[in-house]
Structure formats: C-alpha cells, structure tokens
Amino acid sequence: MSTESLLEKPSWRKPDFLCYSQPITAANEDSQGYLVLFISGNPGLISFYEPFLSRLSSLLSSSNSGNARFHVCGHSFRGFELSPSTKQHEGPFGLEDQIEHQEQLLTHHVKEYRDATGRIPKVILMGHSVGAYVLLELIRRHVAAVSKKDVEDFDLIGGILLFPTIAEIAQSPLGRVFKNILPIPGFVQFVGAIVRGLTYLMPMEALKSLVKLVTRFPEYAAKTATAFIKSPMGPRQALHLARDEMKIITEADWNNEVWGAATSPGTNQRDTINWNLMVYWGKEDQWVADTTRDKLIEARGFRGETGGGLEEGKSRMEIDKDGIPHDFCTTIRMSNARLYKMVTEANVQSFNRKQSQDSY
C-alpha cells in the first residue's frame, strides 16, 4: 500500500502537486513516517523541481536502515496552477497569501497522514529562494500556535533553506533593478497583458522551442516555463509576488526559537532544535547581496556540527563552492550532486538526531 494515495487529493494533480512516497510494507509498517514538505521559489511552479525531488526521494529511501519512511511532497504556489482541472481563484496572490496557503497544506498533510495511519509524521521543511522565507514564517507561526495551544503539536524537527532570499532582497543585484520598476503603477498588469498578447496565438511547441533557445533550459524546465507563460495569470502573478517580496523581505527579525532554540514542550518536546536548521547560500547569488549573506552568517550561523551550533539561536550555514546557480531547479548538472548529498544528509541527520533524542 502506497501512502501517496493517503496524501493526494483528487484535485491535486501534476503539474501542481508532487508527492514521492515509500510504500508501507510488512517490513516497515512500524517505522516512523517523515513528511518532507518542499516550498518553491518564485515563480512558484513545483514542476520545475520534479527531477530534484524525485532524485531526493530515491536518495532518502536508500539512505536509512528501514527505521523511517520519507514522503517528499510539494505544491505550486497559489495563482501558479497549470492543471486544467485546478479551480482558478481570483488573484493575483501576495506573499502573505502564499504563507497562509502553505500553512494550510502542511496542516492538511499532517492530519491526513494521522487519520490514515493513526500516527503523526515528523516534519522537515525545505524551502528554495522566497520559499525559505515562507519556511521560517511557518516555523515561527507553528511555535507561536503551539505555545498558545491553538493547534495540535507535531514534530517539526528540521528546516533546510536553499539559496534563501530572507532579508534585504531589494539590496541584491537583481533586487536593485526590480525595486524601482515593479512599484510603477500599472507595470505588473501591463507586462502581464503584453506577454499574454504576444504568446496567445503562438502554438505551444513553437513557444517551447523559443524558450529552450533563449534560456537553454532542459526539456522538463522548458515545458514548465512554456505552460507558465501561456497560463492566464502566470507572468502577472510572478511579478505581483516579486513586488510583494521587495516590500516585505527586509529585516531578518525571527527570534531564537526560529533560528535554533528549543521551544515549549509539546507532543514532541522540542519543535525545532538548533542543529537542525540548515542554510545553504549561493556564492554569487544575484538575488542575495553578499553583505546580507555575510551579516546573517555572522549573526546567526555556524559552520560544521559543533562549536557555535551549541549556541542558542545559531543555525548551520554553508556557502556553495561548486558554482550551483540560484535557479538550480532549471538545470541538470553534475555539480548538483553535492547539493543532493548535502540535502540528503541534512534530512537524515534530522531523523537520526530525533531518534537519539526520543531514546532518552
């Protein structure tokens, strides 16, 4: 029996929802379930990450001794849906809308798993780019809700931030450009209408060939980008969200409970533990200023598994050394092997440390 059927609603279909689940068998039916919820960047199309998440799921399945079952899932942001069967909502949607939506999805997945198996999964969040900002907000809101007993406590044991845009995005190289043009009245609507008009009559295959020529995207990414460009809301939604990011993502004002301190006791004893928040920075990220990155590493980071990581409010942080781009999800490169290795180890370390903690 595959838990994919337990986690997937009929309205959740590719390309707007991805879920890779290990089947429940007699050999692993007593093992702990781990929900890895992936939160995309902008544009919020989860199908950009299909090869990455598929490969990650395979690595996680082969990296543990049978004491855990990993379920890797992710959804497109609101307003970015591509499936014809997906109900279209009024939009466009801002950053707060996306945070609330991902919070609802997380709660749903936890309850769905509990109702189907009688157990509560332990949760690891992963976020890319602005998805990392959403991730930190989900941790903050979960901790606050648990302390007030507004929600059922569940094990939120780890967070992995990939090329995060979590502070001063307007000071980044590309942010300095967009912060000046996105607020222009009517700009977002105008660009959305122009893109829609230019591509409306163009056949899908012809547009995809043009996208591949201009961007050098591999087939899967070109297909996703083409569907995004042709969608009724796509470009306008992406620009609307980007404008919101410029206004909202300024200071990294999360407290120690988010960055690395133990939280109030619940069913899990500790929702987030300091050495289970991992941040992976780009070396020359066009969406993150070097000064912003370096300040956050100085204030909130440590490197390696010991030392500074024992300090309250510290998180493990690394800077990429392999030239992996911010938009790694649109490329297929051998250098991404180190990214897979790092993410897999971070997930497994969350699992192993939680197992050790529960044994006391």
Side-chain angles (χ1 to χ4, degrees):
M1 171 177 156
S2 171
T3 54
E4 183 167 356
S5 61
L6 305 178
L7 295 173
E8 181 173 1
K9 286 292 187 183
S11 60
W12 293 350
R13 290 287 184 261
K14 290 183 179 180
D16 302 323
F17 169 65
L18 297 174
C19 190
Y20 303 92
S21 297
Q22 295 175 251
I24 299 176
T25 65
N28 68 12
E29 62 182 353
D30 293 328
S31 60
Q32 173 65 53
Y34 286 78
L35 170 64
V36 181
L37 183 65
F38 187 88
I39 308 167
S40 74
N42 183 13
L45 299 142
I46 198 64
S47 52
F48 271 134
Y49 301 88
E50 185 167 7
F52 174 74
L53 295 179
S54 176
R55 175 63 174 155
L56 175 62
S57 176
S58 297
L59 290 171
L60 289 173
S61 297
S62 61
S63 64
N64 72 83
S65 60
N67 296 324
R69 295 189 315 276
F70 287 94
H71 313 288
V72 182
C73 300
H75 296 257
S76 291
F77 279 166
R78 292 193 72 187
F80 290 92
E81 297 91 349
L82 299 177
S83 173
S85 63
T86 301
K87 181 180 178 181
Q88 295 297 315
H89 303 278
E90 291 185 5
F93 300 97
L95 184 54
E96 179 61 30
D97 297 318
Q98 307 299 350
I99 296 169
E100 291 179 358
H101 186 225
Q102 293 295 321
E103 186 176 26
Q104 292 166 2
L105 291 169
L106 173 58
T107 299
H108 172 83
H109 280 301
V110 171
K111 289 182 177 179
E112 186 90 331
Y113 188 92
R114 180 201 62 197
D115 293 344
T117 66
R119 299 181 180 184
I120 298 177
K122 301 185 189 299
V123 176
I124 300 169
L125 299 177
M126 292 181 59
H128 170 228
S129 193
V130 70
Y133 181 93
V134 175
L135 180 157
L136 292 173
E137 275 297 295
L138 291 183
I139 294 177
R140 183 184 68 79
R141 295 177 189 203
H142 177 69
V143 170
V146 167
S147 65
K148 297 177 183 178
K149 302 189 177 184
D150 287 343
V151 296
E152 180 180 12
D153 194 4
F154 58 84
D155 277 341
L156 183 52
I157 65 168
I160 302 170
L161 290 68
L162 304 176
F163 305 93
T165 55
I166 55 177
E168 299 176 342
I169 189 172
Q171 302 305 314
S172 67
L174 286 176
R176 289 178 184 148
V177 176
F178 282 94
K179 72 177 181 180
N180 294 318
I181 60 176
L182 289 175
I184 297 174
F187 177 81
V188 169
Q189 295 86 339
F190 174 75
V191 172
I194 289 295
V195 173
R196 178 79 171 151
L198 291 175
T199 62
Y200 182 74
L201 296 177
M202 186 178 292
M204 188 71 80
E205 284 299 316
L207 181 57
K208 186 175 73 172
S209 297
L210 180 61
V211 168
K212 290 179 73 173
L213 178 66
V214 173
T215 64
R216 304 297 182 184
F217 282 175
E219 178 69 20
Y220 78 93
K223 182 179 179 181
T224 298
T226 302
F228 162 70
I229 293 170
K230 292 279 281 185
S231 64
M233 184 65 71
R236 180 184 173 190
Q237 172 61 65
L239 291 172
H240 178 85
L241 180 57
R243 181 173 59 189
D244 236 19
E245 293 174 45
M246 297 296 153
K247 292 188 297 183
I248 295 173
I249 302 178
T250 53
E251 299 298 321
D253 58 356
W254 297 280
N255 62 21
N256 284 356
E257 288 187 314
V258 173
W259 284 111
T263 65
S264 58
T267 59
N268 59 321
Q269 302 304 314
R270 301 178 95 185
D271 290 279
T272 306
I273 1 184
N274 53 1
W275 21 255
N276 277 357
L277 197 61
M278 166 68 196
V279 186
Y280 193 81
W281 301 96
K283 183 174 178 59
E284 296 179 348
D285 194 328
Q286 294 300 296
W287 285 108
V288 180
D290 288 350
T291 53
T292 299
R293 177 198 65 203
D294 295 343
K295 282 192 299 184
L296 282 170
I297 292 175
E298 178 68 23
R300 291 295 188 179
F302 77 95
R303 304 191 187 193
E305 294 294 317
T306 58
L310 301 177
E311 298 177 32
E312 187 173 285
K314 294 285 187 175
S315 303
R316 180 185 169 195
M317 297 189 182
E318 290 186 21
I319 299 177
D320 172 63
K321 299 177 182 178
D322 299 312
I324 301 175
H326 182 94
D327 57 345
F328 71 92
C329 57
T330 63
T331 64
I332 300 177
R333 296 174 50 180
M334 289 304 294
S335 61
N336 284 6
R338 185 173 185 275
L339 183 60
Y340 284 121
K341 182 176 184 294
M342 183 277 298
V343 171
T344 302
E345 288 177 349
N347 276 283
V348 173
Q349 285 166 4
S350 292
F351 157 66
N352 288 335
R353 283 163 174 156
K354 187 60 184 174
Q355 289 290 97
S356 298
Q357 181 185 16
D358 290 343
S359 66
Y360 287 102

